[in-house]
Amino acid sequence: MASCWVHVARAGGETVALVHPSSSDDVVSEITTRLHAELDAAGFDVEELVAVTAMDPEEPVNTDDLPRTPRATIVVTGEDGVASVDIWVPDARTHEMAVRHVEVPPVARQRAPSVLAVRTVELLRATLLGPPASDAASGKPEPKAAPSDVDGRGRERRRLRFGGELGAAMLYGGHGIAPAFAPLLRLQMGTSTWGGRLNVVAPAFGAEARAAGGDAKIRQEQLSLDATVTWPAEGTFAVVGSAGGGGYHWHVSGTGVAPNVGHDAERWGGVVQAGAGALARFGARFGLLLDAEALWLAPPLVVRVAGAEAGKSGQPTLGVSLGLWGAL
């Protein structure tokens, strides 16, 4: 590339060449200033160069005159108020130049230079962490890669994890039936955002229905599968949404007041559930989860004592749980 360069400034750290045209375009000037500040803050040694001739976006910039070989070259180009940034990085294996192209983001005019500068430095740091993509070695501009797709935190958020929860649950349907209490076991597989879990609530004791002719004690078991979403994926507090379904079992044991006689009965059915919860994390892998769910039983159940309706399942029934959550 035949051109002349004027050496302007340098900072301290790993060397990065920052190249911009000599024109006094306000947008280019502001982007260059923001980029220089962001590179300094990231610990790079900035060699700022001014191009006194037109730059070819398809060709890398010649930086042989610099006292130190730059680890990467950032080129700012612009015309008629439209600017873009190209990041040129040599491939450590092939010694050819790979390029990452960054467009001005669709944000307000006053925020665009700052957002573009931050994105450029994030992409530069992500690119330097690993070798550039093989198809970028041709020197052709390619789409901007999201930093979260290449950095460690992004890989961690997408990694499948096995986890679970151990706690206690309450089932309450109202309509004449007292609440029941049970241990809760959950097994979960998924990422830190999306997952699927197996829920076991069994055995639940304490539910009963009473009438003048006697009473009925109810033992409940419930097994279900649901899908969950957790937001945000990191931080101390998160919201957990869930939806799914499964099956339920009721064992009803009746006690009659003479001359009535008590009977036992078994009932099975399906359940559909939807819920929301609050997760308080103790670090990255443990926390306390408070969950509330609405449960629809099919078919709904009615408990009769001496021919009279003593209670029935609520539609929906409320399920509340509190447990210790963990993930591997």
Side-chain angles (χ1 to χ4, degrees):
M1 180 178 179
S3 57
C4 298
W5 306 100
V6 179
H7 178 217
V8 179
R10 65 179 297 175
E14 192 172 27
T15 302
V16 173
L18 176 59
V19 183
H20 60 89
S22 59
S23 64
S24 58
D25 185 287
D26 292 341
V27 175
V28 173
S29 298
E30 187 173 355
I31 290 175
T32 303
T33 302
R34 296 279 187 173
L35 269 173
H36 201 148
E38 290 292 338
L39 289 167
D40 279 342
F44 290 103
D45 181 348
V46 183
E47 294 280 357
E48 188 175 328
L49 302 175
V50 178
V52 297
T53 60
M55 292 183 291
D56 185 351
E58 298 293 327
E59 294 293 334
V61 173
N62 184 357
T63 58
D64 293 340
D65 292 338
L66 293 178
R68 295 172 57 189
T69 302
R71 182 67 179 85
T73 302
I74 299 177
V75 181
V76 182
T77 56
E79 186 176 358
D80 298 329
V82 179
S84 63
V85 175
D86 292 305
I87 305 173
W88 293 83
V89 181
D91 192 308
R93 295 172 299 177
T94 65
H95 302 289
E96 296 185 12
M97 297 295 288
V99 62
R100 300 290 190 270
H101 185 70
V102 188
E103 295 282 357
V104 175
V107 297
R109 163 66 183 84
Q110 62 271 23
R111 293 185 57 235
S114 178
V115 175
L116 180 62
V118 171
R119 289 187 179 181
T120 300
V121 175
E122 286 180 349
L123 182 56
L124 172 63
R125 296 178 66 176
T127 303
L128 295 179
L129 288 177
S134 58
D135 58 351
S138 63
K140 302 293 184 180
E142 60 185 54
K144 174 182 179 292
S148 62
D149 291 339
V150 293
D151 66 12
R153 289 186 302 172
R155 288 193 296 269
E156 176 66 17
R157 285 195 294 267
R158 296 190 303 273
R159 186 174 67 87
L160 286 178
R161 303 190 300 176
F162 176 78
E165 180 187 349
L166 184 63
M170 180 194 74
L171 301 174
Y172 180 61
H175 301 285
I177 298 180
F181 300 88
L184 166 73
L185 173 64
R186 282 181 171 138
L187 301 177
Q188 183 168 355
M189 176 68 76
T191 68
S192 56
T193 300
W194 300 94
R197 65 186 182 186
L198 172 68
N199 310 287
V200 180
V201 180
F205 294 101
E208 62 178 1
R210 295 180 178 273
D215 61 69
K217 299 185 182 299
I218 304 167
R219 190 190 76 232
Q220 305 175 49
E221 290 90 24
Q222 183 178 307
L223 179 68
S224 63
L225 289 170
D226 58 16
T228 65
V229 57
T230 304
W231 183 89
E234 299 173 345
T236 304
F237 299 100
V239 176
V240 181
S242 63
Y248 73 86
H249 169 250
W250 278 25
H251 174 83
V252 183
S253 178
T255 301
V257 176
N260 300 310
V261 178
H263 299 279
D264 290 356
E266 308 284 343
R267 291 295 184 268
W268 302 82
V271 60
V272 176
Q273 60 192 55
L279 174 63
R281 295 188 178 98
F282 311 139
R285 301 185 182 277
F286 295 95
L288 197 63
L289 178 59
L290 176 63
D291 211 6
E293 294 181 317
L295 313 172
W296 289 268
L297 306 185
L301 296 181
V302 176
V303 178
R304 297 184 179 277
V305 176
E309 181 180 302
K312 62 181 180 180
S313 60
Q315 294 290 72
T317 292
L318 174 64
V320 179
S321 64
L322 179 65
L324 181 63
W325 166 89
L328 301 178

